[in-house]
Amino acid sequence: MPTWKAIIYLLRWHKPAGRLILMIPALWGVFVAAQGSPPWPLVGVMVLGALATSAAGCVINDLWDRRLDAQVERTKNRPLASRQLTVGVALGVLAVGAGCALLLATYLNRLSFALALAAVPVIALYPGAKRVFPVPQLVLSIAWGFAVLISWTAVTGSLDRVGLGWLWGATVLWTLGFDTVYALADLRDDERVGIQSSARFFGPKAPLAVGFCFLGTALCLLGMGWSEGLHWSFYGILALVGLEWGRQVQQLYQPYPGLYGEIFGRNVIQGFVLLGGMILGFCW
């Protein structure tokens, strides 16, 4: 594989769902904080910032896990695990990604910039959490939650609106839910090599745990909509998304090949549908 293509695989740009899903809470935050009409340059910064942060996070993860990834069926062909890229090249790519994220963060106000810096250790330590913490997906969920905090404060300059708490809670619970589903795909390999995951922690009750996460997400979004005065259109879209979450949980009790990745992809679509509902809720 040529180096340029291996770098694309390192950054997971051949799998856009994982890049898009980090954008979603950032866009939720910026649109809700601005009541549906944020400055478009700021929206662009959030999109590009999510891409740069996601790229850096993928490299950090693969640097931590390059030896473990080689022992897991789903990840054994990743560029560092398969030695198609050297650690030196990966560190160079990391420097570029982190540098782009830092440059974009300078567009933000002081509070948002401070929150962006505070997110760095959480992102960097997540791969290590998989070795010592029984629910490492919670660490990832907290990292995801920074996307809401950064984008919200970039609009408002403060952390004092009730809607922010609801939106942050929705982001953390939603991420814990869909990433637990994603972890189910690696359950057997994780047990074999000794990697911790929420799928291992919850065991046979993982579908129930995912169901509670999605239910909590829906309730938090309901609270956000109420506190921000969103119109009825948002609640209709939230109800439809909630029904789809219910269907996904039901399917987890009788999984079929490819289901876990499919549910992950569906949650990307649902996240953008909810974003559309939030925008509609402010104007219709």
Side-chain angles (χ1 to χ4, degrees), residues 3-218:
T3 300
W4 66 267
K5 190 172 183 180
I7 290 173
I8 287 175
Y9 275 63
L10 176 67
L11 299 176
R12 315 280 203 278
W13 285 353
H14 63 300
K15 293 182 176 180
R19 316 292 66 79
L20 292 172
I21 208 162
L22 179 58
M23 273 182 213
I24 290 167
L27 293 175
W28 285 356
V30 76
F31 273 92
V32 175
Q35 300 195 332
S37 301
W40 286 105
L42 181 58
V43 174
V45 167
M46 290 298 119
V47 169
L48 294 175
L51 285 173
T53 304
S54 175
C58 287
V59 179
I60 291 170
N61 185 80
D62 284 11
L63 284 167
W64 270 89
D65 289 351
R66 61 189 185 278
R67 293 184 178 87
L68 289 171
D69 282 346
Q71 304 175 58
V72 176
E73 183 64 30
R74 184 178 61 84
T75 59
K76 67 182 182 182
N77 292 320
R78 285 180 175 173
L80 288 174
S82 60
R83 300 188 178 182
Q84 296 176 74
L85 280 181
T86 66
V87 170
V89 171
L91 288 171
V93 174
L94 173 59
V96 172
C100 289
L102 180 62
L103 181 63
L104 288 162
T106 60
Y107 179 84
L108 308 175
N109 59 46
R110 288 185 178 181
L111 178 56
S112 299
F113 185 80
L115 287 166
L117 292 181
V120 172
V122 183
I123 296 168
L125 292 175
Y126 161 65
K130 292 186 284 187
R131 291 154 170 81
V132 296
F133 185 58
V135 191
Q137 279 71 23
L138 180 58
V139 179
L140 181 70
S141 300
I142 293 170
W144 239 253
F146 273 99
V148 168
L149 300 178
I150 293 165
S151 60
W152 185 285
T153 56
V155 174
T156 66
S158 69
L159 293 165
D160 61 356
R161 264 168 58 189
V162 175
L164 171 60
W166 288 115
L167 199 59
W168 182 86
T171 299
V172 171
L173 288 170
W174 179 52
T175 306
L176 182 57
F178 71 66
D179 208 49
T180 296
V181 173
Y182 201 67
L184 285 167
D186 296 333
L187 179 59
R188 298 293 174 257
D189 284 328
D190 287 347
E191 289 174 339
R192 178 172 53 82
V193 301
I195 289 293
Q196 303 296 323
S197 77
S198 53
R200 289 188 64 189
F201 179 79
F202 293 121
K205 295 182 179 179
L208 181 63
V210 171
F212 275 114
C213 286
F214 287 162
L215 175 61
T217 304

